[in-house]
Amino acid sequence: MSDPVSPRPSVAIAYHSGYGHTAVLAEAVRRGAAEAGADVAFVAVDTITDEQWQRLDDADAIIFGSPTYMGGASAGFHTFAEATSSRFVEGRWQDKLAAGFTNSASKSGDKSNTLAFFAAFSAQHRMLWVSLGLKPGWNSSTATEHDLNRLGYWGGAAAQTPMDGGTDTVHAADIATAEHLGARVTRQAALVAAGRAALAATV
Ligand SMILES: Cc1cc2nc3c(=O)[nH]c(=O)nc-3n(C[C@H](O)[C@H](O)[C@H](O)COP(=O)(O)O)c2cc1C
């Protein structure tokens, strides 16, 4: 993890995307984190390198992303998750912050399962889960599909993209919600680092 007195938290985004939609969201998470002041590592988990594994190990926070395939995270993400088992044994990611995002074709599409998996996976690594931190959008007669968190998730950022649409069809509100997640995790990581530094100064 970064120096506890550093004001610039290190945030890694570890994602899989089969057809590019989730990659658009990952870019949005990256933008939100960078604009909030993070030093961002951007990792496509199906092509992860030794250097990128090191960036994950060094990060203050890791934000996981995957499309929802067959009611859960994709096989590409699961391959990565299983490859982290030595880190799980060693507790190498213990006390890092964690968060997640997903995308699917259906409005629901069982995305909750994917976010719940990310939370369980993070808990196995003894990480600290950061929720989306937004009220639900698009849930009253005056609300619209352009609201942040238009799909009404709490565990993480969720998006819906037509399965036959190009990467330009990822919904602007979902992109903004993903940017929010990146910024929120960055702020929480800065707070935790500051708190740890303050505690360390008292002993
Ligand atoms: C193998 C497979 C399984 C899928 N399963 C689901 C699903 O369970 N629920 C859903 O809503 N969409 C499902 N979809 C649609 C994808 O979630 C959707 O196309 C998504 O935008 C793909 O993201 P990507 O471009 O990052 O791969 C599935 C697509 C594939 C290829």
Side-chain angles (χ1 to χ4, degrees), residues 118-156:
F118 287 149
F121 172 61
S122 304
Q124 289 194 341
H125 278 284
R126 285 89 87 193
M127 300 169 82
L128 306 170
W129 185 255
V130 178
S131 67
L132 179 60
L134 284 175
K135 65 183 182 181
W138 202 14
N139 68 351
S140 73
S141 58
T142 55
T144 79
E145 66 172 294
H146 306 294
D147 294 340
L148 274 182
N149 194 20
R150 69 184 179 114
L151 300 178
Y153 281 77
W154 285 272

Side-chain angles (χ1 to χ4, degrees), residues 16-23 67-71 103-106 109 161 163:
H16 175 250
S17 179
Y19 301 93
H21 295 149
T22 311
T68 293
Y69 286 170
M70 309 314 293
N103 173 72
S104 81
S106 301
T161 310
M163 65 166 69

Side-chain angles (χ1 to χ4, degrees), residues 15-25 66-72 74 102-111 114 159-165 167 170:
Y15 74 96
H16 175 250
S17 179
Y19 301 93
H21 295 149
T22 311
V24 171
L25 298 166
S66 167
T68 293
Y69 286 170
M70 309 314 293
S74 63
T102 188
N103 173 72
S104 81
S106 301
K107 288 286 185 290
S108 164
D110 291 327
K111 285 188 275 283
T114 305
Q160 180 269 331
T161 310
M163 65 166 69
D164 55 351
T167 53
V170 179

